[in-house]
Amino acid sequence: MNLFESFHDGFQSSRSKVALSVPEQDRQVSFGELDLLSARIANKLNGLGVKPGERVAVQVDKSPEALALYLAVLRAGAVYLPLNTAYMPDELSYFVTNAEPKVVVSKKSQVDVFTKIRGDSGVDFEFMTLESNASGTLLDDISSFGEAFETISRSDDDIAAILYTSGTTGRPKGAMISHGNLLSNAKVLSRQWGWKSDDVLLHALPIFHVHGLFVACNISFLNTSEMIYLSKFDAQMVLAELANATVLMGVPTFYTRLLNEPDFSGELCRNMRLFISGSAPLLEETFEEFKERTGHSILERYGMTETGMNASNPLDGDRVPGTVGLPLPGTEIRIVSDQGVNLGVEEVGSLQVRGPNVFKGYWRMPEKTEADFTVDGFFITGDLGKIDENGYVSIVGREKDLIISGGYNIYPKEVELVINEMPAVNETAVFGYKHADFGEGVAVAVVKENGAEITDSNIIEYCRDKLAAYKIPRVFIYMDELPRNTMGKVQKNILRDKYGS
Ligand code: MLC
Ligand code: AMP
């Protein structure tokens, strides 16, 4: 079934209810308005020739209209492809060339970038603009488009969205996420987290990733519950709205930043029933400090782009810090040794997942898909985990070479490939260091070419239009050679031990 169908009845029976309250614009958008606008945009996409299964790539700032566009793409049976607003031209060029979208929607300031990409790639997409103030060519004459749109029928296995995740080879992979994946995950999370139609979610996450789009918005749409919709996380804005909300979802940086605010208190949280954290490990000390300050135990859950959410601490029952809780109903989690043997209680190994939440594979990369699934259908997450005697799962490390900074993933290989292109650079190793605000930051060990000169700012400058800013290293170490083991593999653990904290 088309995911939108499962939202639509609620939208129609709650037409005048507030869907989005937007304090920065002093604006409220009802479910009826969201329904109408998404129908009109779906008609417009139809008019542009968008067919079911075709991709609509979207790189825009957060706005109510951006959410209507997401819903419109679902309604049209097309595939939603959200892109981080921090992505730079080289990154965007790869996504467009790989996904071949029929339509790209972005900001006016990106016209030149996408015009060049269209010329270079030969992908003949329509380009539309959308600004955060409800203007742009996507919305031009929108009221002349029909108010009704018959949602295109989709099966559970049809692709609703493609989200790119980088990989250990440095080449991003498009995770194909189906209507069934999204609906099953939204339903199970609604139940597990006791969601009600009178919940009010304080939404401060970006809407181009799983957390802010699928977890936060799909649950709210499914329950026709209100979101207080902030353009981004800003501690002062969050403090100002907390008393009007019942639930907050965030990455750990949200919680450490709130704790750094002297005005943040239990009194401000008086109407809150749930604080949820995910996308990166929540430190036990943050959990404890938060509990002491507010009386609330943050509920930590675990997920990823390819799987949606897999495990969650309970709503009722022990929320155990340092764990990500129990596997969600319908989702199996197992811990496996290097030899492929299922491990027992407290044994650390490769964490694998199977269930209706697990994606369909990587877009046009059948070999990569095959390599990441076991023969019995478990997805190999690349996380290292263990399960205790009560069934609580802990993420204890990663087999994949990945840095998570403020909830954004950075694959070192992608950064190394860019810096290695510099003539003065012989080789590099990118690794994570401990960052008080973001959890981890990006560091690079650089071996220069003989006799060459290079500075930190040369490297930053070189990366600037090739990598999103959050991927660019902030710590630079220059070495005569990289530490390697006898097999010649770079030992990043040595770099992390020496320079990582
Ligand atoms: C911003 N910057 C970052 C950064 N965010 N650097 C490293 N890591 C980050 N996460 C940099 C910018 O490039 C900029 O650099 C400077 O910091 C200030 O930018 P900003 O936009 O003002 O930052 P700020 O608003 O403070 O953003 C920080 C943040 C944001 C933590 C609020 O990054 C955020 O909302 N993160 C959430 C990410 C998320 O949604 N992840 C979920 C993925 S889904 P310069 O050089 O320009 O000054 C997933 C699955 C799952 O993982 O389980 O959920
Ligand atoms: P992404 O590829 O952006 O979807 O990120 C998914 C990765 O984030 C997972 O594979 C984990 O490594 C990490 N992750 C998500 N939630 C948690 C959590 N609660 N604790 C630790 N790591 C997490």
Side-chain angles (χ1 to χ4, degrees):
M1 158 186 206
N2 188 316
L3 174 66
F4 183 79
E5 293 283 9
S6 52
F7 304 151
H8 204 192
D9 286 350
F11 283 24
Q12 287 187 316
S13 56
S14 307
R15 294 197 79 77
S16 54
K17 185 177 176 189
V18 174
L20 305 172
S21 165
V22 193
E24 291 156 90
Q25 298 181 1
D26 195 17
R27 179 179 170 203
Q28 294 194 321
V29 179
S30 68
F31 282 101
E33 287 171 287
L34 212 47
D35 185 24
L36 174 65
L37 185 57
S38 65
R40 287 187 155 142
I41 298 176
N43 278 314
K44 183 153 189 173
L45 293 174
N46 224 358
L48 291 172
V50 174
K51 306 243 168 17
E54 289 187 328
R55 278 75 54 209
V56 176
V58 178
Q59 190 197 31
V60 297
D61 286 332
K62 203 172 162 183
S63 69
E65 286 66 27
L67 276 188
L69 172 59
Y70 161 58
L71 295 170
V73 174
L74 292 177
R75 294 182 86 154
V79 175
Y80 190 68
L81 197 170
L83 294 165
N84 193 321
T85 46
Y87 288 150
M88 300 307 285
D90 286 7
E91 295 165 304
L92 295 169
S93 171
Y94 174 86
F95 300 131
V96 168
T97 309
N98 189 253
E100 298 185 306
K102 176 82 179 176
V103 173
V104 173
V105 183
S106 189
K107 293 183 278 185
K108 199 169 166 201
S109 56
Q110 292 285 78
V111 171
D112 290 348
V113 168
F114 281 105
T115 304
K116 179 165 187 325
I117 291 175
R118 183 167 39 204
D120 292 348
S121 66
V123 179
D124 187 21
F125 55 83
E126 288 284 342
F127 183 75
M128 301 259 117
T129 62
L130 178 63
E131 311 300 323
S132 58
N133 65 356
S135 67
T137 57
L138 182 75
L139 301 175
D140 283 352
D141 301 328
I142 199 71
S143 52
S144 66
F145 287 85
E147 293 182 9
F149 184 90
E150 191 162 340
T151 300
I152 302 292
S153 147
R154 297 272 82 189
S155 78
D156 282 358
D157 275 344
D158 282 327
I159 306 308
I162 293 180
L163 268 68
Y164 278 88
T165 86
S166 291
T168 41
T169 59
R171 211 152 64 97
K173 302 168 286 187
M176 298 186 288
I177 301 164
S178 70
H179 288 263
N181 294 149
L182 295 176
L183 181 57
S184 66
N185 217 223
K187 278 185 172 166
V188 83
L189 292 172
S190 290
R191 275 199 303 276
Q192 294 302 107
W193 294 343
W195 215 275
K196 301 264 173 356
S197 63
D198 59 359
D199 267 315
V200 178
L201 174 71
L202 185 44
H203 192 302
L205 287 159
I207 54 163
F208 40 68
H209 282 306
V210 164
H211 196 166
L213 186 62
F214 299 147
V215 185
C217 297
N218 286 352
I219 295 180
S220 302
F221 291 150
L222 196 62
N223 292 279
T224 44
S225 60
E226 176 181 340
M227 290 189 258
I228 300 175
Y229 191 65
L230 304 181
S231 61
K232 57 179 279 197
F233 179 86
D234 172 276
Q236 286 303 321
M237 281 199 293
V238 169
L239 291 188
E241 293 300 330
L242 256 185
N244 302 321
T246 65
V247 185
L248 176 71
M249 285 181 197
V251 296
T253 302
F254 284 20
Y255 295 107
T256 51
R257 286 191 182 178
L258 285 175
L259 287 169
N260 285 337
E261 293 294 323
D263 294 344
F264 179 57
S265 65
E267 169 56 17
L268 275 183
C269 306
R270 60 188 175 278
N271 294 321
M272 290 292 297
R273 67 170 187 90
L274 192 56
F275 290 91
I276 300 170
S277 177
S279 309
L282 180 75
L283 295 179
E284 290 187 43
E285 66 208 51
T286 310
F287 177 96
E288 299 298 352
E289 203 187 325
F290 200 89
K291 188 167 180 187
E292 199 166 303
R293 180 91 76 93
T294 65
H296 285 273
S297 298
I298 299 173
L299 181 152
E300 184 170 8
R301 60 47 172 189
Y302 159 66
M304 59 191 302
T305 303
E306 288 92 333
T307 63
M309 300 303 104
N310 297 311
S312 172
N313 271 281
L315 182 66
D316 302 312
D318 280 347
R319 297 181 195 162
V320 182
T323 81
V324 294
L326 304 157
L328 290 169
T331 297
E332 297 166 82
I333 296 184
R334 69 182 184 191
I335 308 293
V336 175
S337 73
D338 287 348
Q339 289 71 39
V341 176
N342 281 358
L343 293 174
V345 168
E346 295 290 355
E347 289 184 308
V348 173
S350 163
L351 193 153
Q352 303 182 351
V353 181
R354 184 167 70 178
N357 53 315
V358 176
F359 76 135
K360 298 293 144 204
Y362 294 113
W363 171 255
R364 293 181 179 165
M365 290 185 180
E367 314 81 33
K368 286 216 184 308
T369 304
E370 203 184 327
D372 282 350
F373 279 90
T374 64
V375 280
D376 55 351
F378 277 79
F379 175 63
I380 304 165
T381 62
D383 289 315
L384 289 172
K386 61 177 185 172
I387 303 180
D388 74 11
E389 73 276 12
N390 298 316
Y392 281 69
V393 179
S394 300
I395 310 300
V396 299
R398 299 172 201 135
E399 322 179 87
K400 54 193 172 192
D401 191 14
L402 166 69
I403 300 166
I404 305 185
S405 178
Y408 285 146
N409 285 10
I410 298 137
Y411 279 86
K413 187 77 185 174
E414 197 182 346
V415 182
E416 289 162 5
L417 286 174
V418 169
I419 303 177
N420 289 350
E421 289 166 1
M422 297 179 74
V425 171
N426 180 335
E427 58 174 348
T428 54
V430 168
F431 59 99
Y433 69 94
K434 205 167 162 210
H435 191 290
D437 187 28
F438 293 139
E440 287 183 285
V442 183
V444 61
V446 180
V447 178
K448 296 183 219 175
E449 284 292 356
N450 267 342
E453 279 310 315
I454 191 165
T455 63
D456 303 358
S457 41
N458 295 150
I459 298 175
I460 293 171
E461 212 40 56
Y462 187 78
C463 291
R464 210 177 290 283
D465 65 345
K466 300 182 175 64
L467 291 172
Y470 66 86
K471 299 179 187 170
I472 299 177
R474 305 290 159 121
V475 168
F476 300 82
I477 295 131
Y478 298 91
M479 321 180 86
D480 292 334
E481 58 182 327
L482 299 175
R484 289 183 190 276
N485 65 15
T486 47
M487 311 288 289
K489 192 171 177 325
V490 177
Q491 292 174 297
K492 292 200 178 172
N493 54 329
I494 294 183
L495 294 171
R496 278 191 290 267
D497 289 347
K498 194 155 177 205
Y499 305 103
S501 45

Short mmCIF file of all heavy atoms in Angstrom, two decimals, residues 165-166 209-210 277-282 300-306 323-324 381-383 395 397-398 400 402 404 407-409 411, ligand 2:
data_model
loop_
_atom_site.label_atom_id
_atom_site.label_comp_id
_atom_site.label_asym_id
_atom_site.label_seq_id
_atom_site.Cartn_x
_atom_site.Cartn_y
_atom_site.Cartn_z
N THR A 165 23.87 6.77 1.36
CA THR A 165 24.79 6.68 2.50
C THR A 165 26.15 6.41 1.87
O THR A 165 26.24 5.67 0.89
CB THR A 165 24.44 5.53 3.47
OG1 THR A 165 25.05 4.33 3.00
CG2 THR A 165 22.96 5.35 3.63
N SER A 166 27.16 7.03 2.43
CA SER A 166 28.48 6.80 1.85
C SER A 166 28.93 5.41 2.22
O SER A 166 28.27 4.71 2.98
CB SER A 166 29.46 7.84 2.34
OG SER A 166 29.09 9.06 1.77
N HIS A 209 17.15 13.31 6.37
CA HIS A 209 17.65 12.01 6.83
C HIS A 209 16.52 11.23 7.48
O HIS A 209 15.47 11.78 7.81
CB HIS A 209 18.78 12.20 7.85
CG HIS A 209 20.09 12.54 7.23
ND1 HIS A 209 20.67 11.80 6.24
CD2 HIS A 209 20.96 13.56 7.48
CE1 HIS A 209 21.82 12.34 5.89
NE2 HIS A 209 22.02 13.42 6.63
N VAL A 210 16.82 9.96 7.71
CA VAL A 210 15.84 9.04 8.30
C VAL A 210 15.24 9.58 9.60
O VAL A 210 14.03 9.51 9.82
CB VAL A 210 16.55 7.68 8.58
CG1 VAL A 210 15.77 6.82 9.53
CG2 VAL A 210 16.78 6.96 7.27
N SER A 277 16.52 9.80 21.91
CA SER A 277 17.84 10.08 21.32
C SER A 277 18.24 8.95 20.40
O SER A 277 17.98 7.78 20.68
CB SER A 277 18.89 10.25 22.43
OG SER A 277 20.17 10.45 21.86
N GLY A 278 18.95 9.32 19.33
CA GLY A 278 19.45 8.30 18.41
C GLY A 278 20.36 8.90 17.38
O GLY A 278 20.67 10.09 17.42
N SER A 279 20.82 8.06 16.46
CA SER A 279 21.72 8.39 15.34
C SER A 279 23.18 8.34 15.74
O SER A 279 24.06 8.34 14.87
CB SER A 279 21.45 9.76 14.70
OG SER A 279 20.10 9.91 14.38
N ALA A 280 23.46 8.37 17.02
CA ALA A 280 24.84 8.32 17.52
C ALA A 280 24.75 7.91 18.99
O ALA A 280 23.69 8.05 19.61
CB ALA A 280 25.49 9.70 17.39
N PRO A 281 25.87 7.41 19.55
CA PRO A 281 25.79 6.94 20.94
C PRO A 281 25.55 8.08 21.92
O PRO A 281 26.19 9.12 21.85
CB PRO A 281 27.16 6.30 21.19
CG PRO A 281 27.98 6.48 19.97
CD PRO A 281 27.18 7.17 18.92
N LEU A 282 24.63 7.83 22.86
CA LEU A 282 24.37 8.79 23.93
C LEU A 282 25.25 8.40 25.10
O LEU A 282 25.18 7.26 25.58
CB LEU A 282 22.89 8.69 24.34
CG LEU A 282 22.43 9.63 25.44
CD1 LEU A 282 22.28 11.05 24.91
CD2 LEU A 282 21.10 9.16 26.03
N GLU A 300 16.77 5.94 24.53
CA GLU A 300 17.70 5.78 23.40
C GLU A 300 17.25 4.65 22.51
O GLU A 300 16.85 3.58 22.98
CB GLU A 300 19.13 5.52 23.89
CG GLU A 300 20.10 5.46 22.72
CD GLU A 300 21.57 5.45 23.11
OE1 GLU A 300 21.87 5.35 24.31
OE2 GLU A 300 22.41 5.56 22.19
N ARG A 301 17.33 4.89 21.22
CA ARG A 301 16.95 3.87 20.22
C ARG A 301 18.06 3.79 19.17
O ARG A 301 18.95 4.65 19.11
CB ARG A 301 15.58 4.15 19.65
CG ARG A 301 15.32 5.47 18.92
CD ARG A 301 16.32 5.81 17.96
NE ARG A 301 16.18 6.89 17.07
CZ ARG A 301 17.05 7.07 16.07
NH1 ARG A 301 18.05 6.26 15.87
NH2 ARG A 301 16.94 8.09 15.29
N TYR A 302 18.01 2.74 18.36
CA TYR A 302 19.09 2.48 17.40
C TYR A 302 18.51 2.21 16.02
O TYR A 302 17.56 1.44 15.87
CB TYR A 302 19.89 1.28 17.88
CG TYR A 302 20.71 0.56 16.84
CD1 TYR A 302 21.80 1.17 16.21
CD2 TYR A 302 20.43 -0.76 16.49
CE1 TYR A 302 22.56 0.50 15.27
CE2 TYR A 302 21.19 -1.45 15.55
CZ TYR A 302 22.25 -0.81 14.95
OH TYR A 302 23.01 -1.48 14.01
N GLY A 303 19.09 2.87 15.04
CA GLY A 303 18.64 2.61 13.67
C GLY A 303 19.71 2.96 12.67
O GLY A 303 20.83 3.30 13.04
N MET A 304 19.35 2.86 11.43
CA MET A 304 20.23 3.32 10.36
C MET A 304 19.42 3.54 9.08
O MET A 304 18.27 3.10 8.98
CB MET A 304 21.41 2.37 10.14
CG MET A 304 21.07 0.97 9.78
SD MET A 304 22.53 -0.12 9.85
CE MET A 304 23.65 0.64 8.72
N THR A 305 20.06 4.20 8.12
CA THR A 305 19.36 4.53 6.88
C THR A 305 18.77 3.28 6.24
O THR A 305 17.62 3.28 5.80
CB THR A 305 20.35 5.23 5.92
OG1 THR A 305 20.87 6.37 6.59
CG2 THR A 305 19.68 5.64 4.63
N GLU A 306 19.56 2.23 6.18
CA GLU A 306 19.13 1.03 5.45
C GLU A 306 18.02 0.27 6.16
O GLU A 306 17.35 -0.56 5.54
CB GLU A 306 20.31 0.07 5.27
CG GLU A 306 21.36 0.52 4.27
CD GLU A 306 22.49 1.32 4.91
OE1 GLU A 306 22.25 1.95 5.97
OE2 GLU A 306 23.60 1.31 4.35
N THR A 323 22.77 1.29 26.55
CA THR A 323 22.16 0.29 25.66
C THR A 323 21.18 1.00 24.73
O THR A 323 20.74 2.13 25.03
CB THR A 323 21.37 -0.80 26.42
OG1 THR A 323 20.06 -0.28 26.75
CG2 THR A 323 22.08 -1.25 27.68
N VAL A 324 20.81 0.31 23.65
CA VAL A 324 19.80 0.87 22.75
C VAL A 324 18.48 0.13 22.91
O VAL A 324 17.57 0.26 22.10
CB VAL A 324 20.28 0.85 21.28
CG1 VAL A 324 21.47 1.79 21.11
CG2 VAL A 324 20.63 -0.56 20.82
N THR A 381 24.96 -4.93 9.47
CA THR A 381 24.91 -3.48 9.70
C THR A 381 26.28 -2.81 9.70
O THR A 381 26.38 -1.61 9.50
CB THR A 381 24.26 -3.16 11.06
OG1 THR A 381 25.07 -3.74 12.09
CG2 THR A 381 22.84 -3.69 11.15
N GLY A 382 27.34 -3.59 10.00
CA GLY A 382 28.65 -2.97 10.15
C GLY A 382 28.88 -2.45 11.56
O GLY A 382 29.93 -1.90 11.88
N ASP A 383 27.86 -2.61 12.43
CA ASP A 383 28.04 -2.24 13.84
C ASP A 383 28.46 -3.48 14.62
O ASP A 383 28.10 -4.61 14.28
CB ASP A 383 26.72 -1.71 14.41
CG ASP A 383 26.37 -0.34 13.84
OD1 ASP A 383 27.29 0.51 13.78
OD2 ASP A 383 25.22 -0.12 13.44
N ILE A 395 25.48 -1.13 21.38
CA ILE A 395 26.40 -0.94 20.25
C ILE A 395 27.74 -0.64 20.88
O ILE A 395 27.89 0.38 21.56
CB ILE A 395 25.95 0.26 19.36
CG1 ILE A 395 24.47 0.17 19.00
CG2 ILE A 395 26.82 0.38 18.12
CD1 ILE A 395 24.06 -1.04 18.23
N GLY A 397 30.83 -0.76 19.14
CA GLY A 397 31.85 -0.26 18.21
C GLY A 397 31.36 -0.46 16.79
O GLY A 397 30.19 -0.76 16.55
N ARG A 398 32.27 -0.27 15.85
CA ARG A 398 31.89 -0.40 14.44
C ARG A 398 32.94 -1.19 13.68
O ARG A 398 34.13 -0.94 13.87
CB ARG A 398 31.76 0.97 13.78
CG ARG A 398 30.72 1.83 14.43
CD ARG A 398 30.75 3.26 13.87
NE ARG A 398 30.11 4.14 14.84
CZ ARG A 398 30.58 5.32 15.22
NH1 ARG A 398 31.71 5.78 14.69
NH2 ARG A 398 29.95 6.04 16.10
N LYS A 400 32.71 -1.08 10.42
CA LYS A 400 32.86 -0.18 9.28
C LYS A 400 33.68 1.03 9.75
O LYS A 400 33.59 1.44 10.91
CB LYS A 400 31.50 0.24 8.76
CG LYS A 400 30.57 0.85 9.81
CD LYS A 400 29.13 0.96 9.32
CE LYS A 400 28.20 1.39 10.44
NZ LYS A 400 26.79 1.27 10.13
N LEU A 402 33.84 4.42 10.09
CA LEU A 402 32.83 5.48 10.04
C LEU A 402 33.03 6.45 11.20
O LEU A 402 33.33 6.03 12.31
CB LEU A 402 31.44 4.82 10.14
CG LEU A 402 30.23 5.71 10.43
CD1 LEU A 402 29.94 6.61 9.24
CD2 LEU A 402 29.00 4.84 10.73
N ILE A 404 30.88 9.43 13.24
CA ILE A 404 29.56 10.07 13.37
C ILE A 404 29.74 11.37 14.14
O ILE A 404 30.14 11.38 15.29
CB ILE A 404 28.53 9.16 14.08
CG1 ILE A 404 28.43 7.81 13.37
CG2 ILE A 404 27.16 9.84 14.10
CD1 ILE A 404 27.35 6.88 13.93
N GLY A 407 25.62 13.45 14.65
CA GLY A 407 24.56 12.67 14.00
C GLY A 407 24.74 12.54 12.49
O GLY A 407 23.98 11.83 11.85
N TYR A 408 25.72 13.21 11.92
CA TYR A 408 26.01 13.04 10.48
C TYR A 408 27.11 12.00 10.32
O TYR A 408 28.10 12.00 11.06
CB TYR A 408 26.51 14.35 9.86
CG TYR A 408 25.45 15.38 9.64
CD1 TYR A 408 25.75 16.73 9.78
CD2 TYR A 408 24.16 15.03 9.29
CE1 TYR A 408 24.79 17.70 9.58
CE2 TYR A 408 23.19 16.00 9.08
CZ TYR A 408 23.51 17.32 9.22
OH TYR A 408 22.55 18.29 9.02
N ASN A 409 26.94 11.15 9.29
CA ASN A 409 27.94 10.12 9.04
C ASN A 409 29.00 10.61 8.07
O ASN A 409 28.67 11.21 7.05
CB ASN A 409 27.28 8.88 8.42
CG ASN A 409 26.52 8.11 9.46
OD1 ASN A 409 26.34 8.58 10.57
ND2 ASN A 409 26.09 6.93 9.10
N TYR A 411 32.26 8.97 6.04
CA TYR A 411 33.09 7.81 5.74
C TYR A 411 34.49 8.29 5.39
O TYR A 411 34.68 9.02 4.41
CB TYR A 411 32.46 6.98 4.61
CG TYR A 411 31.38 6.08 5.14
CD1 TYR A 411 30.08 6.54 5.28
CD2 TYR A 411 31.67 4.78 5.55
CE1 TYR A 411 29.09 5.72 5.80
CE2 TYR A 411 30.68 3.96 6.08
CZ TYR A 411 29.40 4.43 6.21
OH TYR A 411 28.43 3.63 6.74
P1 AMP B 2 23.22 6.26 9.07
O1 AMP B 2 24.02 5.54 8.10
O2 AMP B 2 23.31 7.72 9.02
O3 AMP B 2 21.84 5.81 9.00
O4 AMP B 2 23.78 5.89 10.51
C1 AMP B 2 23.56 4.65 11.09
C2 AMP B 2 24.58 4.37 12.12
O5 AMP B 2 24.45 5.27 13.22
C3 AMP B 2 24.40 3.00 12.73
O6 AMP B 2 24.92 1.97 11.91
C4 AMP B 2 25.14 3.16 14.04
O7 AMP B 2 26.53 3.00 13.84
C5 AMP B 2 24.84 4.61 14.40
N1 AMP B 2 23.79 4.73 15.40
C6 AMP B 2 22.48 5.04 15.24
N2 AMP B 2 21.84 5.08 16.43
C7 AMP B 2 22.77 4.80 17.37
C8 AMP B 2 22.76 4.69 18.78
N3 AMP B 2 21.66 4.91 19.50
N4 AMP B 2 23.91 4.35 19.41
C9 AMP B 2 25.03 4.13 18.71
N5 AMP B 2 25.13 4.22 17.38
C10 AMP B 2 24.00 4.56 16.70
#
